[in-house]
């Protein structure tokens, strides 16, 4: 084991950690307000999360690799290497999905090494590199090379929006940075740097070509490569290839600033956020995955440069999404056509809500937290993690949702695989990073962002400190945190108070303490001694949630929420709505009564922890307006036991009023 110490330019705090590889460290951008901890320094031992992460490691990771092998996505690289033409398997963006999978699996083996998985990744990299070597100039996009030779970057009559040349390149770069940091191997990094250098040579201000991504992601990927080149310039000698940080920053800046500039190229239009300059865009529009990944990259550009206009624009767009265009589950992208954002307050129950878009919104929110230290961004990330991301995969680990609607007549089911299997790789990218999201720090001390049973060690102002969380969250609101500095030392611990929580108490060593709420965190400033214990108790009532009055599809409706978890009614538990059985026929599924449920004016709720419900869950029981029993289950668990109907928004007569909605899209309406 190698001890690694990073000295921050900001403040006097040091971060120390043990890592199997010196390369395996987080990316620190110059203008971060908050710094993350690397995933391998946080040990998760959580009754809620650990079973799900175990299935991710042992089942989902291999399932995705095997299915990509079976559907020919990986074979495309062999065809290019062998000089074949035509016969590309699958969609043009399949290369990018392979790279995204490698990114997620790299983070996975950084946390829990798996020799078999490491070898699978190495075999993939060998096939990718062999294909790139056959091309010769660093370019590699199997769809274009096999089916559209002569139309690189969508030129000469091609279509970049369809071909995904730049998107796939960005996915390669992103995967390579993560793989290098996880393993110390430069095999994939060398291929990515060759491709990035090739793009830097041909793209940019005149006389270079005005080529910008038609699908975002490459913006942040190039910035990760930029930061790696700054941190480890000797890699140029190791790889025997040019590795110039400034080139990658310049290209990312060019891509951001030349959206809306269509000189010499076709417009990607509003669909791909290319209708006007990014800094002039007032609202989130177009394809929701492209949009959220663009805004993630825009925020990363602020983290690199400190240019306030980038951050201001990113905040404006995030506010627009969260306050006007986000579903209660955290899902975004209401419109099926073009998988896009709708208008303000256009939030139908059967919205598209692609898993990828939810993950993109999570990455966007995380970057804004790093830029600001504000808890509201973690609130949104938490909602996405507990609802959209978990719903995107079955509990057994090998079936997936592309869309995550909030109502189903029974025809919506997870699929074994999809002709466009973009969502499993995005989920594989986010879930292994859970450990990174739990804690963070700045020059004042530590942040506790998520309540997950775990342990982390860090060095604050030269003092080694261990934090250990004990909790049964999200099923219970009790959070105990043992604070163990090597000797008495002064620093702050900031506890996020979730936006959904109305009542809570905080004690230290069983004594009430004074604290200030700053940016959504309870700030505990004191001299800490070994053995100190912080106790946070979050009240976890069952809440009825109403939507903003402008959401006309949710008038006189309410959703059930408990803590960060959204609840739904599934027909398998509520036989009144299926005549005692789950029905599948088209005629049965067209009966509106199956989807309608009215609550009484004063509903009473009881909760039950059912240890046999998959890996254990709290179920909510109540009665409808006629006194018939109802059972609600956590939304991400639906469609795991059987097919059938599902509903979240329930009939509930109430007056939301028009006041008190500033910066709110949903709020409690319990009487």
């Amino acid at each position: 084991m190698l001890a690694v110490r990073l000295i921050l330019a900001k403040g006097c705090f040091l971060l120390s950690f043990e890592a199997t590889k010196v390369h395996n460290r987080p990316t620190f951008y110059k203008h971060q307000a908050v710094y993350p901890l690397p995933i391998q320094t946080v040990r998760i031992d959580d009754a809620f999360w650990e079973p799900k992460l175990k299935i991710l490691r042992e089942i989902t990771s291999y399932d995705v690799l095997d299915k990509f092998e079976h559907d020919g996505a990986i074979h495309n690289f062999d065809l290019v290497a062998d000089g074949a033409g035509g016969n590309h398997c699958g969609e043009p963006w399949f290369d990018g999905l392979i790279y995204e999978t490698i990114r997620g699996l790299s983070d996975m083996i950084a946390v829990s090494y798996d020799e078999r998985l490491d070898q699978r990744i190495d075999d993939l990299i060998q096939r990718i590199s062999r294909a790139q070597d056959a091309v010769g100039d660093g370019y590699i996009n199997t769809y274009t090379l096999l089916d559209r030779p002569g139309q690189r970057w969508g030129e000469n009559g091609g279509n970049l929006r369809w071909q995904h040349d730049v998107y796939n390149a960005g996915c390669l770069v992103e995967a390579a940075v993560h793989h290098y940091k996880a393993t110390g191997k430069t095999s994939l990094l060398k291929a990515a740097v060759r491709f990035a250098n090739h793009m830097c040579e041909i793209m940019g201000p005149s006389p270079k070509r005005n080529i910008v991504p038609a699908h975002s992601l490459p913006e942040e990927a190039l910035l990760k490569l930029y930061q790696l080149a700054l941190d480890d310039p000797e890699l140029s000698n190791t790889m025997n290839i040019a590795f110039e940080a400034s080139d990658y920053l310049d290209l990312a800046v060019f891509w951001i600033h030349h959206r809306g500039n269509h000189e010499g190229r076709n417009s990607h239009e509003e669909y791909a956020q290319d209708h006007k300059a990014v800094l002039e865009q007032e609202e989130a529009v177009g394809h929701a995955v492209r949009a959220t990944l663009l805004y993630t990259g825009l925020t990363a550009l602020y983290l690199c440069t400190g240019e306030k206009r980038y951050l201001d624009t990113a905040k404006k767009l995030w506010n627009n999404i969260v306050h006007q265009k986000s579903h209660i589950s955290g899902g975004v992208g209401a419109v099926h056509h073009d998988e896009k954002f709708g208008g303000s307050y256009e939030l139908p129950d059967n919205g598209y809500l692609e898993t990828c878009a939810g993950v993109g919104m999570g990455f966007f929110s995380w970057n804004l937290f790093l830029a600001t230290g504000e808890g509201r961004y973690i609130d949104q990330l938490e909602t996405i993690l507990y609802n959209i991301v978990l719903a995107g995969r079955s509990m057994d680990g090998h079936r997936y949702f592309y869309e995550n609607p909030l109502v189903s007549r029974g025809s919506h089911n997870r699929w074994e695989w999809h002709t466009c299997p973009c969502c499993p790789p995005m989920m594989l990218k986010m879930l292994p990073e859970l450990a990174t999201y739990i804690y963070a720090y700045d020059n004042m001390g530590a942040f506790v962002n998520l309540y997950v049973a775990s342990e982390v060690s860090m060095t604050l102002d030269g003092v080694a400190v261990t934090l250990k969380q004990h909790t049964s969250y999200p099923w219970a609101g009790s959070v105990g945190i043992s604070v163990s500095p090597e000797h008495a030392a002064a620093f702050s611990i900031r506890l996020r108070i979730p936006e959904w929580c109305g009542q809570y108490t905080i004690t230290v060593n069983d004594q009430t303490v004074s604290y200030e709420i700053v940016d959504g965190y309870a700030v505990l400033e004191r001299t800490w001694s070994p053995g100190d214990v912080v106790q946070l108790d979050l009240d976890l009532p069952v809440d009825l949630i109403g939507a903003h009055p402008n959401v006309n599809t949710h008038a006189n409706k309410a959703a059930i929420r408990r803590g960060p978890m959204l609840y739904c009614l599934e027909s398998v538990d509520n036989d009144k709505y299926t005549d005692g059985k789950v029905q599948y026929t088209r005629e049965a599924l067209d009966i509106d009564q199956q989807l309608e449920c009215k609550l009484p004016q004063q509903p009473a709720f009881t909760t039950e922890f059912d240890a046999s419900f998959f890996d254990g869950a709290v179920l909510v029981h109540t009665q409808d307006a006629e006194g018939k029993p109802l059972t609600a289950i956590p939304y991400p668990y639906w469609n795991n036991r059987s097919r059938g109907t599902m509903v979240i928004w329930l009939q509930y007569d109430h007056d939301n009023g028009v006041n008190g909605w500033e910066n709110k899209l949903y709020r409690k309406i319990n009487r």
Side-chain angles (χ1 to χ4, degrees):
M1 299 288 285
L2 298 174
V4 181
R5 174 162 291 186
L6 300 179
I7 301 177
L8 303 184
K10 179 178 180 179
C12 58
F13 276 62
L14 303 177
L15 167 67
S16 295
F17 58 89
E18 297 291 317
T20 55
K21 296 288 183 180
V22 70
H23 323 282
N24 203 352
R25 57 181 182 264
T27 297
F28 290 149
Y29 294 121
K30 183 177 181 181
H31 296 279
Q32 286 181 220
V34 180
Y35 295 87
L37 290 156
I39 52 177
Q40 74 278 8
T41 66
V42 180
R43 185 177 65 86
I44 294 175
D45 183 19
D46 187 82
F48 178 86
W49 281 107
E50 184 51 37
K52 297 169 179 65
L53 295 174
K54 185 175 187 289
I55 288 175
L56 189 77
R57 291 190 302 268
E58 297 179 0
I59 297 177
T60 306
S61 59
Y62 292 100
D63 183 66
V64 171
L65 286 173
D66 291 344
K67 287 171 179 173
F68 274 134
E69 189 73 66
H70 183 266
D71 68 14
I74 300 171
H75 184 57
N76 289 324
F77 293 101
D78 301 333
L79 294 175
V80 170
D82 294 339
N87 301 312
H88 181 272
C89 297
E91 305 291 359
W93 48 89
F94 267 28
D95 289 9
L97 305 187
I98 299 299
Y99 303 142
E100 288 187 306
T101 300
I102 292 174
R103 168 191 157 166
L105 300 185
S106 297
D107 287 344
M108 212 174 291
I109 63 174
V111 174
S112 179
Y113 183 70
D114 180 330
E115 184 177 4
R116 179 178 162 222
L117 202 55
D118 192 16
Q119 186 59 55
R120 289 285 297 266
I121 296 171
D122 283 346
D123 291 345
L124 269 176
I125 293 171
Q126 185 178 30
R127 293 163 76 175
I128 293 164
S129 298
R130 182 169 167 258
Q132 187 186 49
D133 289 344
V135 179
D137 61 359
Y139 176 90
I140 176 67
N141 187 42
T142 63
Y143 173 78
T144 298
L145 290 166
L146 293 172
D147 285 8
R148 296 203 178 195
Q151 293 184 341
R152 290 190 189 185
W153 318 116
E155 297 181 333
N156 302 319
N159 183 343
L160 184 59
R161 252 178 64 172
W162 177 247
Q163 292 172 233
H164 284 67
D165 299 58
V166 190
Y167 169 77
N168 289 341
C171 291
L172 173 58
V173 169
E174 179 185 69
V177 172
H178 283 252
H179 181 254
Y180 170 71
K181 288 184 175 184
T183 67
K185 301 173 185 178
T186 60
S187 50
L188 190 62
L189 184 63
K190 187 171 182 178
V193 170
R194 289 181 66 198
F195 203 173
N197 289 351
H198 178 65
M199 290 191 294
C200 290
E201 289 173 3
I202 66 172
M203 300 179 191
S206 181
K208 295 182 181 181
R209 285 139 71 184
N210 182 19
I211 300 171
V212 301
H215 191 309
S216 284
L217 181 145
E219 298 87 348
E220 186 185 33
L222 264 288
L223 294 172
K224 289 183 177 181
L225 192 64
Y226 156 76
Q227 193 61 48
L228 180 61
L230 288 181
D231 292 342
D232 207 342
E234 289 303 313
L235 280 170
S236 180
N237 295 328
T238 302
M239 297 184 293
N240 194 28
I241 190 172
F243 192 43
E244 295 293 334
S246 61
D247 289 346
Y248 311 132
L249 177 61
D250 289 347
L251 183 54
V253 170
F254 173 80
W255 282 340
I256 292 292
H257 281 276
H258 279 71
R259 285 185 176 273
N261 179 344
H262 308 132
E263 184 178 356
R265 67 174 177 87
N266 293 328
S267 170
H268 307 316
E269 303 173 336
E270 187 177 276
Y271 170 81
Q273 299 78 47
D274 191 34
H275 55 300
K276 63 170 70 173
V278 171
L279 299 181
E280 296 175 6
Q281 295 184 24
E282 299 291 331
E283 66 172 323
V285 296
H287 190 274
V289 183
R290 285 166 163 83
T292 53
L293 293 178
L294 171 62
Y295 309 152
T296 301
L298 177 65
T299 311
L301 188 55
Y302 164 78
L303 295 173
C304 289
T305 65
E307 286 279 347
K308 189 172 180 292
R309 54 186 175 156
Y310 300 145
L311 180 59
D312 289 344
T313 301
K315 283 182 172 182
K316 174 178 61 180
L317 292 165
W318 188 90
N319 288 338
N320 174 249
I321 296 171
V322 172
H323 300 154
Q324 297 184 23
K325 297 189 176 187
S326 179
H327 285 67
I328 192 171
S329 61
V332 294
V335 180
H336 289 244
H337 174 65
D338 282 345
E339 304 174 339
K340 66 184 180 181
F341 287 102
S344 295
Y345 305 107
E346 184 181 351
L347 299 166
D349 287 1
N350 63 348
Y352 198 69
L353 308 185
E354 185 180 345
T355 300
C356 290
V359 173
M361 190 64 192
F363 288 143
F364 180 27
S365 299
W366 176 247
N367 275 4
L368 279 171
F369 167 71
L370 296 178
T372 66
E374 295 178 21
R376 60 186 179 134
Y377 300 117
I378 302 297
D379 287 339
Q380 192 69 15
L381 174 61
E382 179 182 64
T383 298
I384 291 165
L385 283 169
Y386 280 95
N387 296 288
I388 291 294
V389 175
L390 286 184
R393 184 200 65 180
S394 62
M395 295 296 290
D396 59 17
H398 60 78
R399 293 176 295 122
Y400 311 92
F401 273 156
Y402 194 113
E403 307 164 44
N404 295 275
L406 306 184
V407 67
S408 173
R409 291 181 176 274
S411 60
H412 190 78
N413 296 282
R414 290 182 181 85
W415 34 265
E416 293 284 342
W417 204 233
H418 198 281
T419 55
C420 176
C422 54
C423 296
M426 283 287 274
M427 183 194 58
L428 280 172
K429 284 166 51 172
M430 174 158 274
L431 279 179
E433 288 197 340
L434 174 66
T436 294
Y437 304 144
I438 300 171
Y439 305 98
Y441 67 99
D442 65 3
N443 62 351
M444 299 296 292
F447 291 76
V448 183
N449 295 321
L450 299 177
Y451 299 114
V452 177
S454 57
E455 184 173 355
V456 64
S457 295
M458 63 184 80
T459 300
L460 299 174
D461 202 16
V463 178
V465 179
T466 298
L467 301 179
K468 188 170 184 178
Q469 268 197 76
H470 305 271
T471 185
S472 297
Y473 191 91
W475 308 133
S478 174
V479 181
I481 303 173
S482 300
V483 184
S484 301
E486 59 183 343
H487 56 74
F491 53 88
S492 70
I493 294 180
R494 275 163 281 194
L495 308 175
R496 182 177 62 91
I497 306 302
E499 182 275 336
W500 54 260
C501 183
Q503 296 184 17
Y504 59 92
T505 60
I506 300 173
T507 62
V508 177
N509 301 329
D510 295 323
Q511 301 295 315
T512 58
V513 292
S514 61
Y515 54 85
E516 184 180 2
I517 299 294
V518 178
D519 292 331
Y521 289 85
V523 183
L524 308 181
E525 296 189 63
R526 59 186 282 136
T527 297
W528 299 91
S529 298
D532 283 346
V533 176
V534 177
Q535 181 66 36
L536 169 65
D537 288 302
L538 303 166
D539 194 22
L540 273 174
V542 177
D543 289 317
L544 285 179
I545 307 299
H548 192 286
N550 288 350
V551 184
N552 54 30
T553 52
H554 296 160
N556 286 317
K557 288 187 177 182
I560 298 172
R561 191 181 69 189
R562 183 174 183 268
M565 194 72 77
L566 187 63
Y567 279 73
C568 67
L569 270 61
E570 207 175 3
S571 55
V572 66
D573 302 305
N574 300 282
D575 60 10
K576 169 189 172 182
Y577 302 101
T578 55
D579 297 327
K581 61 182 179 179
V582 180
Q583 299 187 30
Y584 308 110
T585 66
R586 179 176 298 276
E587 292 75 18
L589 297 177
D590 282 341
I591 299 174
D592 288 340
Q593 184 185 9
Q594 289 189 330
L595 303 177
E596 295 295 337
C597 172
K598 187 169 184 178
L599 294 175
Q601 290 302 105
Q602 300 289 341
F605 298 102
T606 60
T607 60
E608 166 204 6
F609 181 78
D610 186 345
S612 66
F613 194 82
F614 298 100
D615 52 20
V618 167
L619 310 183
V620 173
H621 302 288
T622 189
Q623 294 182 341
D624 68 9
E626 298 176 5
K628 302 285 183 66
L630 297 172
T631 296
I633 68 167
Y635 171 68
Y637 291 70
W638 87 278
N639 193 239
N640 275 278
R641 295 170 293 169
S642 71
R643 296 180 60 185
T645 59
M646 182 276 293
V647 63
I648 284 177
W649 288 100
L650 311 175
Q651 294 293 327
Y652 180 64
D653 294 335
H654 65 282
D655 181 9
N656 257 355
V658 295
N659 298 318
W661 284 99
E662 184 178 2
N663 296 332
K664 288 183 180 179
L665 186 52
Y666 305 99
R667 70 181 183 189
K668 300 176 188 178
I669 55 174
N670 295 54
R671 300 189 179 188

